Amino acid sequence: EQFGTHTVGQVAARYQLLPNTSIYSNWGTAFRAPNLNELYVNYYGNPTLKPEESESFEIGLDQNLPFGFTTGLSLYSNTVKNLIDYNDKNGYIIDNVSKAKFEGVESYLHWQHDQLFAKLSHNYVKATNEETHQELARRPRQSFTLTAGVQNPIYGISTSLHSKSAPKDDSNVAGYASIDLNAYWNVNPNIKLFTNIDNVGDVQYATASYGNGLFYMNGGRLASFGVTLKY
């Protein structure tokens, strides 16, 4: 209620250029109000925060290849007004960045054969404060994900290797890599069991600098198990 209402929209189009080649484009706007944590969390919160408003544009290409391979490449640009971010120059208090821009490239290579699949994806993004012309803190430029597994209507299991580069700031936060595991089993049409294990190797890495050689660390391994019932 504090930030009223806001209308957003998106337009997308795809054109089949060749039998195995298609191109596409997306344009859209978005709106995000600050959450309670950003507004009122002890010491870091900022009750004067303004909501984010953004406009994004993307163009891309998807290509089918022989032997079950598919690949794609896309370019995107996202301009954000009043980006909600930590202000490392002001005691790490959450603040608005008047104007920020995210420019990047995404690519992937996917393979599928019967129940087996694998996908390698890469994302490069440069996040810039348009006022100071400096890169935003805590935002790695490079990220890679390699996922492989088997899936069918009865069961599925997959593992993913994630890696991120070090951010381009002076925080001395290093890049890292971790492995996740996901699995499911449809016992019958009404019962599905599933599990997710994040950071299987319990890799310890810093997520942000607290200053004076101190860092916020990740939460370590996280495992969850569940059941879905349909009736």
Side-chain angles (χ1 to χ4, degrees):
E1 295 179 347
Q2 179 178 346
F3 300 100
T5 61
H6 194 89
T7 301
V8 299
Q10 184 175 19
V11 176
R14 180 180 292 272
Y15 178 69
Q16 197 70 32
L17 190 64
L18 297 170
N20 292 314
T21 307
S22 64
I23 56 176
Y24 61 90
S25 179
N26 302 308
W27 171 87
T29 61
F31 175 87
R32 186 177 83 85
N35 59 41
L36 293 177
N37 184 68
E38 293 165 337
L39 288 168
Y40 304 116
V41 68
N42 186 38
Y43 184 72
Y44 303 108
N46 184 354
T48 66
L49 285 174
K50 300 175 183 177
E52 293 179 355
E53 297 182 51
S54 66
E55 181 180 19
S56 60
F57 180 74
E58 178 187 21
I59 57 173
L61 178 147
D62 289 320
Q63 176 69 47
N64 293 328
L65 301 172
F67 307 109
F69 285 94
T70 305
T71 188
L73 177 71
S74 65
L75 309 175
Y76 64 89
S77 176
N78 186 14
T79 301
V80 184
K81 178 182 177 182
N82 295 322
L83 175 73
I84 298 172
D85 199 11
Y86 282 93
N87 188 337
D88 291 350
K89 308 301 182 183
N90 190 26
Y92 299 96
I93 293 176
I94 301 171
D95 205 352
N96 287 115
V97 176
S98 295
K99 186 178 181 182
K101 179 174 285 188
F102 299 79
E103 296 177 309
V105 181
E106 291 184 339
S107 59
Y108 73 90
L109 178 65
H110 181 262
W111 173 77
Q112 179 88 40
H113 180 70
D114 296 333
Q115 301 179 19
L116 302 175
F117 71 93
K119 183 176 183 179
L120 174 64
S121 58
H122 168 252
N123 183 29
Y124 170 89
V125 58
K126 184 177 181 180
T128 308
N129 183 326
E130 292 290 275
E131 282 192 329
T132 63
H133 303 290
Q134 295 180 340
E135 290 196 42
L136 296 172
R138 308 184 182 187
R139 304 199 183 247
R141 284 190 182 183
Q142 310 270 0
S143 62
F144 290 88
T145 301
L146 175 61
T147 302
V150 56
Q151 62 181 7
N152 57 50
I154 304 300
Y155 64 87
I157 184 169
S158 65
T159 184
S160 298
L161 170 65
H162 305 279
S163 68
K164 290 184 179 293
S165 64
K168 295 290 184 178
D169 54 30
D170 56 0
S171 64
N172 295 318
V173 172
Y176 67 91
S178 63
I179 296 176
D180 299 339
L181 181 67
N182 303 279
Y184 67 87
W185 175 34
N186 289 311
V187 181
N188 57 47
N190 304 107
I191 301 175
K192 177 182 180 179
L193 305 178
F194 62 89
T195 181
N196 303 294
I197 306 176
D198 298 333
N199 194 4
V200 174
D202 198 23
V203 177
Q204 301 295 309
Y205 56 87
T207 60
S209 172
Y210 191 65
N212 299 320
L214 302 175
F215 299 91
Y216 291 105
M217 303 301 294
N218 69 311
R221 182 187 300 113
L222 175 64
S224 62
F225 305 88
V227 55
T228 300
L229 304 177
K230 297 179 181 180
Y231 58 91

